[in-house]
Amino acid sequence: MRFHPTPWAQRVFLGLIVLLSSAAGFAADSSEDGQFQLLAQKPGATARAPSSGSAMTTATPQPETAAALPKSPRTGQCSGRYPLPLATHWTAHRKEAAVRSTHPDWQLEQVASGHHWLPTFYMGEFAQPWDAWADSYYVAAIRESRRRGLPIALVSTQWEHVLYDRAPWNEGKPGSPAPHLTADGKLDPFGPAEPWAEVGHSWASGPILQKLQQLYPDPPYVVLFSNNEAKRMRQPDVENSARFRQLYGTQATEEFRRRKLGDQFIGRYKTMVESFRSSLGS
């Protein structure tokens, strides 16, 4: 497994639910030039030296026993080398500067103290401008994250919400909902996929993400979290969906409706995520 600077689109992990496996880990280095280190690899993988431009290092997998852990001069409550998960903070998206435990400066202090902390930042609301608040919130911490070669996480609302509460996507023909929405304004996966692609592109090309890519063009890893609380068509709604009936008729079983609902949403979310990835640069 090797990490090296490549475009953001190749280094971004996007997830609605993220499970951090104990098969690999990062260790915090409290020294002045400390970096996170990848500690283990997938079974059978061959350890490789990092490229010269990488801020991350690899290590041969170690048995997860106290005796096998290498001695380390690192200090702090989380000194030494341990497997994932790292600690992080879901409420990093709060914008109040008074919330000390969510501010990026506080988070980087945890890293400097030797804690196993994944710096987690608010990704911004849809089309949020880069302003004085963004300067004070991001710049110093993102630069310090880059200096240390840290992976970062960006926490957001549910990206797809703009499909039902932002123009032009929530605007249908007079007297009818938008073609990707139900009559009561929920996301309908049996509608067209194009609006999902447009939303993915719009998020990735917004002012916040564009500026973050300029500040940190070569992160070793980026985790993007969606809140996963969008208003979506549910199983009971499928039976009343005119679009579903046009596609599959009126005699479909409950099992068939449930499977098709899941398959269609999987396809729509893939469309949005792929559009997001392809719109990243740096």
Side-chain angles (χ1 to χ4, degrees):
M1 180 181 295
R2 174 165 44 185
F3 291 90
H4 52 86
T6 53
W8 266 57
Q10 297 180 30
R11 263 176 279 105
V12 172
F13 177 85
L14 303 101
L16 302 180
I17 299 176
V18 178
L19 299 178
L20 298 179
S21 168
S22 61
F26 293 95
D29 185 339
S30 59
S31 63
E32 184 176 352
D33 296 321
Q35 300 172 347
F36 271 81
Q37 294 184 340
L38 183 68
L39 300 179
Q41 303 170 333
K42 293 181 179 180
T46 302
R48 300 179 182 177
S51 63
S52 59
S54 175
M56 302 198 59
T57 58
T58 60
T60 303
Q62 298 284 343
E64 292 186 12
T65 65
L69 291 174
K71 295 186 180 297
S72 171
R74 298 176 177 88
T75 60
Q77 295 183 23
C78 296
S79 61
R81 301 183 179 188
Y82 297 87
L84 285 173
L86 299 171
T88 186
H89 207 310
W90 175 253
T91 54
H93 64 284
R94 290 183 179 174
K95 296 175 63 175
E96 300 90 337
V99 183
R100 173 70 174 152
S101 64
T102 68
H103 196 277
D105 292 347
W106 178 89
Q107 296 188 54
L108 269 295
E109 289 173 9
Q110 308 314 299
V111 173
S113 298
H115 293 282
H116 292 232
W117 191 269
L118 176 64
T120 306
F121 303 87
Y122 176 53
M123 197 174 85
E125 183 47 271
F126 182 76
Q128 180 176 330
W130 187 276
D131 54 16
W133 172 85
D135 267 330
S136 64
Y137 179 84
Y138 292 108
V139 174
I142 289 290
R143 285 176 174 167
E144 177 64 6
S145 295
R146 188 185 187 194
R147 187 186 76 83
R148 290 181 175 271
L150 302 178
I152 61 172
L154 301 176
V155 176
S156 181
T157 180
Q158 44 276 354
W159 304 343
E160 64 274 31
H161 79 88
V162 299
L163 285 167
Y164 54 77
D165 64 14
R166 294 292 182 94
W169 298 288
N170 62 348
E171 298 173 344
K173 295 180 180 179
S176 62
H180 55 276
L181 300 177
T182 64
D184 57 352
K186 297 176 183 176
L187 293 170
D188 184 345
F190 300 103
E194 288 79 6
W196 293 78
E198 293 169 1
V199 164
H201 169 76
S202 296
W203 270 105
S205 58
I208 297 291
L209 270 176
Q210 290 298 303
K211 182 67 173 180
L212 290 180
Q213 291 175 85
Q214 295 173 21
L215 291 170
Y216 198 172
D218 53 352
Y221 205 69
V222 180
V223 182
L224 301 181
F225 288 94
S226 169
N227 198 35
N228 196 27
E229 293 181 353
K231 297 191 298 183
R232 292 187 288 264
M233 174 186 285
R234 305 296 180 184
Q235 168 62 21
D237 302 324
V238 179
E239 192 173 5
N240 300 320
S241 169
R243 297 187 185 99
F244 178 88
R245 292 196 298 269
Q246 290 172 0
L247 290 170
Y248 305 109
T250 59
Q251 304 300 316
T253 64
E254 181 179 352
E255 179 182 356
F256 181 87
R257 294 196 301 267
R258 180 181 294 109
R259 185 174 71 252
K260 286 298 180 182
L261 178 65
D263 290 345
Q264 288 294 115
F265 267 125
I266 288 172
R268 295 298 178 262
Y269 279 101
K270 282 185 175 179
T271 295
M272 182 175 66
V273 167
E274 288 169 0
S275 178
F276 188 109
R277 285 181 181 275
S278 65
S279 302
L280 292 171
S282 87

